[in-house]
Amino acid sequence: MFNAIEMKKNIAIIAGGDSSEYGVSLRSAAGIYSFLDKEKYNITIVCLRGNDWKAQVGEDEWVAIDRNDFSFTYNGVRTTFDFAYITIHGTPGENGVLQGYFDMIGLPYSCCGVLAAAMTFNKYTCNHYLKGFGIRVAESVLLRREAKGERLKAEEIVEKVGLPCFIKTNVGGSSFGVTKVKTLEEVEPAIDKAFAEGDEVICEAFMKGIEITCGVYKTKNNAVAFPVTEVVTSNEFFDYDAKYNGQVDEITPARIPDDVRDKVQALTLKIYDILGCKGIIRVDYILTEAMRLEGYETKGLEINLLEVNTTPGMTATSFIPQQIRAAGLDIKDVLSEIIEDQL
């Protein structure tokens, strides 16, 4: 007779990483740990930091992960995993590197594969790819560190994207390294700040409007778009303090017309399919007033893509748990459905 505990699937929650979002990732891991069904799964938090890969086996006790098969041994017992829930925000868990490793050893995981992860992690590439499918994006300029001598000057950047504009890293999140630039003199310092987070920087036109975000997920038998969240902050933009220190009002469902909500949800599911995503993603948008063209006024709101998040935050203050609650769903059931879909 099998012991019920032995029949449980072993789930690794993968956190940490090598970016400024390390701490946010650990908080997401704690959130996911609290959400997962303990009666169905044995759950272990695994933290990656450079070459230091370790599994948590006690409150303050960690043991090394064997990278040959992503197992660990504790008290003479070797544990392997049936599934990895990746919640690293940044490299190597959001850019496809870890996904490639898991593909090689045959371990199923929660989010999209190598290509989609690499593309969505590169905001400039992703947005311009989606632009080819008719999705509206802001005007932007990409700067690379190694091309310093050939980069556009501050005056040329402003001529291209206007003022105010946003200058941010191309490969990071949680608003690290982001500056809302209002004057020409602020451009170069903002570029330097963004380069501290990575080797590529985006200079992006400012869009005035309503900031919203929408989460979705799909399984073999289900496609779910969560209620849209409206983001209202008195800060200059939705920065780190707004995201994690409560300096924001997050209104779910958003105060937008039903037809706009429906379009946002449909567009998010479309983006999911275009990119070939898996698990839960969250897409951020700005709703702007439709422009007057040649004397004719188009009514309503335009939906403008900001960015795609394929490993969205799962902290206590994150959007996805809020949206799942607003949808009347149990997050434990949602995560179980995603895991079972891959097993």
Side-chain angles (χ1 to χ4, degrees):
M1 179 179 293
F2 289 101
N3 185 300
I5 295 178
E6 293 175 345
M7 295 177 65
K8 290 183 179 180
K9 295 288 195 271
N10 292 330
I11 308 298
I13 301 174
I14 317 296
D18 303 320
S19 76
S20 297
E21 296 181 89
Y22 177 86
V24 177
S25 174
L26 295 181
R27 290 163 63 182
S28 284
I32 293 168
Y33 185 90
S34 72
F35 301 143
L36 285 175
D37 190 341
K38 311 298 189 301
E39 295 183 0
K40 187 180 292 187
Y41 306 117
N42 298 315
I43 306 160
T44 303
I45 293 178
V46 176
C47 184
L48 313 185
R49 186 72 158 173
N51 291 324
D52 183 21
W53 294 23
K54 56 190 180 182
Q56 188 173 19
V57 294
E59 186 173 347
D60 295 306
E61 190 173 4
W62 300 77
V63 297
I65 288 286
D66 182 346
R67 280 179 280 177
N68 290 299
D69 60 0
F70 206 70
S71 66
F72 70 90
T73 301
Y74 180 65
N75 286 341
V77 178
R78 177 173 166 270
T79 298
T80 59
F81 293 103
D82 299 294
F83 185 87
Y85 200 107
I86 300 173
T87 189
I88 292 177
H89 312 310
T91 187
E94 196 172 5
N95 59 357
V97 174
L98 190 60
Q99 288 86 343
Y101 164 74
F102 285 147
D103 285 343
M104 292 179 69
I105 66 170
L107 181 62
Y109 50 87
S110 56
C111 54
C112 59
V114 173
L115 178 60
M119 181 179 295
T120 54
F121 189 64
N122 188 303
K123 299 179 180 70
Y124 184 88
T125 298
C126 183
N127 284 15
H128 280 73
Y129 176 70
L130 291 172
K131 183 179 180 180
F133 290 85
I135 296 169
R136 294 169 59 91
V137 300
E139 188 70 44
S140 61
V141 170
L142 179 67
L143 307 178
R144 292 191 172 95
R145 190 192 305 276
E146 68 269 18
K148 185 173 183 179
E150 304 170 7
R151 291 204 309 250
L152 295 177
K153 306 298 183 186
E155 294 83 356
E156 296 171 304
I157 292 170
V158 170
E159 183 178 351
K160 179 83 171 174
V161 303
L163 288 174
C165 67
F166 284 102
I167 296 180
K168 59 187 180 181
T169 178
N170 191 34
V171 291
S174 295
S175 298
F176 286 108
V178 180
T179 305
K180 184 178 180 181
V181 171
K182 299 179 180 179
T183 67
L184 181 64
E185 292 72 26
E186 294 173 337
V187 171
E188 290 297 340
I191 290 172
D192 292 340
K193 178 180 177 181
F195 270 128
E197 297 293 328
D199 291 332
E200 294 185 347
V201 167
I202 306 177
C203 307
E204 191 172 72
F206 170 72
M207 294 182 291
K208 183 179 180 180
I210 303 166
E211 185 164 353
I212 60 170
T213 187
C214 180
V216 302
Y217 76 95
K218 287 191 174 186
T219 61
K220 296 181 185 70
N221 302 312
N222 208 6
V224 178
F226 300 135
V228 178
T229 298
E230 179 183 350
V231 182
V232 182
T233 178
S234 58
N235 297 7
E236 282 286 353
F237 60 97
F238 190 44
D239 58 12
Y240 183 92
D241 283 331
K243 288 180 179 178
Y244 302 112
N245 294 327
Q247 297 176 12
V248 66
D249 290 323
E250 298 169 0
I251 302 165
T252 309
R255 301 167 299 180
I256 57 177
D258 290 351
D259 65 319
V260 176
R261 175 205 62 207
D262 294 344
K263 289 177 183 177
V264 167
Q265 291 175 322
L267 178 58
T268 308
L269 288 167
K270 176 183 176 181
I271 289 171
Y272 191 105
D273 290 338
I274 291 171
L275 296 173
C277 294
K278 288 196 308 183
I280 298 174
I281 73 165
R282 199 193 78 236
V283 183
D284 302 337
Y285 304 94
I286 289 282
L287 300 178
T288 55
E289 292 185 8
M291 298 178 64
R292 297 172 182 241
L293 300 173
E294 299 179 358
Y296 296 94
E297 183 178 0
T298 57
K299 296 181 180 180
L301 298 169
E302 298 282 7
I303 305 168
N304 305 271
L305 172 68
L306 287 178
E307 64 179 84
V308 179
N309 304 275
T310 56
T311 57
M314 296 289 279
T315 71
T317 60
S318 295
F319 291 117
I320 292 299
Q322 295 179 42
Q323 293 178 0
I324 290 174
R325 288 193 297 270
L329 301 172
D330 188 329
I331 192 167
K332 178 175 66 175
D333 295 336
V334 170
L335 297 184
S336 293
E337 183 182 357
I338 289 168
I339 292 169
E340 297 301 322
D341 188 60
Q342 299 299 321
L343 294 177

